[in-house]
Amino acid sequence: MTTHAGPYPLAPDASAENPEISADEQQFNDLIEADSRIEPRDWMPEDYRKSLVRQISQHAHSEIIGMQPESNWITRAPSLKRKAILMAKVQDEAGHGLYLYSAAQTLGATRDGMTEALIAGKARYSSIFNYPTPTWADMGSVGWLVDGAAICNQVPLCRASYGPYGRAMVRICKEESFHQRQGFEILLELMQGTEAQRHMAQDSVNRWYWPALMMFGPPDDDSPNSAQSMAWKIKRFSNDELRQRFVGMLVPQAAVLGITLPDPDLKWNDETQKYDLGEIDWTEFHEVLSGRGASNAQRLQRRRDAHAEGAWVREAAAAYARKQSERSEMVAS
Ligand code: BYC
C-alpha cells in the first residue's frame, strides 16, 4: 500500500534512503509490537511517515480553521465572562495548531508547505468547520458536540505510536476537556432559561448532531486508511467504534440537559450491546469534503486574508531574528 502525505513538499533530506532497511525495519516493527514509541531520530517506513504527515497536518489545519466559527462570536458573546472564556478557547485552538504543525515538521514537512497547501485549498481539514454558527447556542453545541467528538477521537491518539504526536495530544486533550464542559454549561444555562432560549439550544443541537457524528470519518468498510493506521498503532480504534463511544457518552448528558438528540432511530440494542443509530447522510459528508459545504469558501477566504494581513508580522519577526543573529555573530568575533 502506498500512503500519501497530502499536498506537501517534504524537506529535501526527509526521504533519503536508509542503507540498513531490513535491520531498521525489524527494529521499527519491534518498537510497534512492544507498544513503544517511534521518535523523529528513528528509522521509519516511508509510508508511515507520509501517513502521519497526512493525518497530523489535517489535524493542525482543523484546529486553525476551527478558530473561525467561534471567533465570530467573541464580540457578540452575551457577557464579559462568556467573552473571556471564548477568547481563551479560541487561543487554545491556535496553540493546538502550533503543537501539531511542529509535530508534522519533525517528520520533514515544512510549515510553509503546509500553510500554502491549506490556503490553496489543496489540504483537508475537518468537515465540521464548514457549517455556520448563526446563534449563540451554537457556541454551546460546538463545545458540547464538536469538542466532545474531538475528545473521543483524540484521547486514544495520546497513545499514538509516534512520540511527538502522542505527546502533543496529551496537552490538547486536557484543554479540549475544558472546552467540552464549557459548551455543556452554555447549553445547560439556555435549557434552564426562557422558552425561546430552550428552543435556540434544541435547534442548534439539531443542526450540529449529525455533522458531529461525521467527524469520526467514513464507515469502517469505506475507510481506506484505517487498517494500516491501526496496524501501525497510530489509530487505536476504528471510526465506527469511536462514533459509538461518542453516542454512548452523549445519551446520558442529553438527558441531564433535557435535550433531544435528533435521531428517531437511536436506541440501545441489548443484543449487540451498542446503540442502533439512524442513517448518516454520507452524501452530505462527501459534498463538504469536496468543498461544497455551506461555509467552505468563506473559511478558506478568511484564512487567505488572515495570512496576507499577517505578512508584516512574519517579515518583522524574520528581520528581528536576522538582526539578533548578526549581533551575536559580531559579539562572538
Ligand atoms: N473531515 O480513511 P479515513 C477539533 C478524510 S479538530 C474531513 O477514515 P483516517 C477541533 C480522511 O482524511 C478535528 N476529512 O481516514 C478543533 C481521508 O482523506 P485522505 C480534527 C475527513 O485518517 C478546533 C478520507 O476522508 N481531528 O476537533 O484513517 C475546535 C478517508 O477517511 C473526515 C482530527 O484531525 C472529516 N471528518 O481517519 C474544536 C483528529 N473524516 O487523507 C475542535 C485526527 C475522514 O486519504 N485525525 N476524512 O485524503 C483522525 O483521527 C483521522 O484522520 C480521522 C480520519 C478519524 C479524521
Side-chain angles (χ1 to χ4, degrees):
M1 180 197 128
T2 301
T3 312
H4 67 93
Y8 312 118
L10 295 166
D13 62 340
S15 55
E17 293 265 317
N18 189 316
E20 292 174 345
I21 286 288
S22 53
D24 286 341
E25 192 158 4
Q26 189 54 51
Q27 193 186 4
F28 172 86
N29 291 341
D30 291 347
L31 285 170
I32 298 284
E33 176 69 26
D35 240 336
S36 191
R37 284 222 141 129
I38 309 297
E39 296 297 337
R41 61 173 183 271
D42 294 329
W43 182 88
M44 61 189 82
E46 189 54 16
D47 280 350
Y48 176 80
R49 192 175 63 79
K50 283 184 181 168
S51 194
L52 280 165
V53 169
R54 177 187 67 80
Q55 177 166 327
I56 300 172
S57 60
Q58 288 176 0
H59 193 168
H61 297 326
S62 304
E63 299 284 354
I64 297 300
I65 296 283
M67 295 165 73
Q68 292 186 34
E70 290 176 296
S71 58
N72 279 341
W73 274 95
I74 291 174
T75 54
R76 293 174 290 160
S79 69
L80 185 59
K81 184 183 104 177
R82 292 292 183 199
K83 215 184 273 287
I85 294 172
L86 199 53
M87 275 170 64
K89 181 176 191 287
V90 172
Q91 280 180 342
D92 285 351
E93 314 299 0
H96 299 174
L98 292 183
Y99 312 152
L100 290 163
Y101 282 130
S102 301
Q105 283 173 274
T106 66
L107 292 155
T110 66
R111 180 73 183 273
D112 283 349
M114 290 185 278
T115 303
E116 288 306 323
L118 176 63
I119 62 179
K122 292 183 190 156
R124 286 201 197 286
Y125 59 86
S126 182
S127 50
I128 195 74
F129 301 116
N130 294 307
Y131 291 84
T133 46
T135 70
W136 169 249
D138 291 340
M139 296 304 95
S141 294
V142 169
W144 183 46
L145 297 173
V146 176
D147 290 286
I151 292 171
C152 267
N153 167 261
Q154 293 172 21
V155 165
L157 290 174
C158 295
R159 295 191 291 124
S161 56
Y162 188 58
Y165 190 30
R167 287 190 288 274
M169 292 315 306
V170 172
R171 184 152 174 193
I172 291 176
C173 284
K174 283 188 182 149
E175 292 174 352
E176 296 293 12
S177 152
F178 159 75
H179 296 172
Q180 198 254 356
R181 275 180 247 171
Q182 70 85 40
F184 181 87
E185 204 257 335
I186 290 176
L187 291 176
L188 190 61
E189 194 168 307
L190 290 174
M191 289 305 286
Q192 290 167 350
T194 63
E195 184 57 36
Q197 285 172 319
R198 280 197 292 279
H199 176 77
M200 179 167 63
Q202 181 65 59
D203 168 71
S204 171
V205 169
N206 291 350
R207 284 181 287 109
W208 287 92
Y209 176 75
W210 292 105
L213 293 193
M214 293 175 199
M215 285 176 72
F216 295 92
D220 293 350
D221 54 12
D222 193 26
S223 164
N225 300 299
S226 277
Q228 181 61 80
S229 201
M230 286 172 75
W232 277 326
K233 297 184 181 170
I234 299 170
K235 277 167 89 160
R236 298 285 179 154
F237 299 97
S238 76
N239 299 355
D240 286 331
E241 282 170 333
L242 291 173
R243 208 174 347 258
Q244 264 293 328
R245 189 179 283 200
F246 177 55
V247 173
M249 184 186 96
L250 289 184
V251 169
Q253 294 181 1
V256 173
L257 287 172
I259 273 190
T260 307
L261 296 174
D263 178 359
D265 297 324
L266 176 65
K267 61 173 182 305
W268 178 251
N269 184 328
D270 258 338
E271 214 169 287
T272 59
Q273 289 290 298
K274 283 180 183 171
Y275 280 98
D276 290 333
L277 311 183
E279 195 59 36
I280 294 177
D281 184 352
W282 292 113
T283 309
E284 174 181 317
F285 174 74
H286 289 295
E287 281 292 292
V288 174
L289 259 60
S290 313
R292 291 187 289 272
S295 305
N296 293 59
Q298 185 192 338
R299 299 287 184 246
L300 268 189
Q301 191 53 48
R302 180 72 200 101
R303 184 86 274 289
R304 277 187 205 114
D305 293 346
H307 190 66
E309 285 160 17
W312 70 271
V313 179
R314 294 190 296 279
E315 283 161 21
Y320 180 73
R322 202 166 42 245
K323 270 191 195 160
Q324 288 294 95
S325 104
E326 281 166 9
R327 232 173 253 157
S328 51
E329 271 171 30
M330 270 165 57
V331 172
S333 63

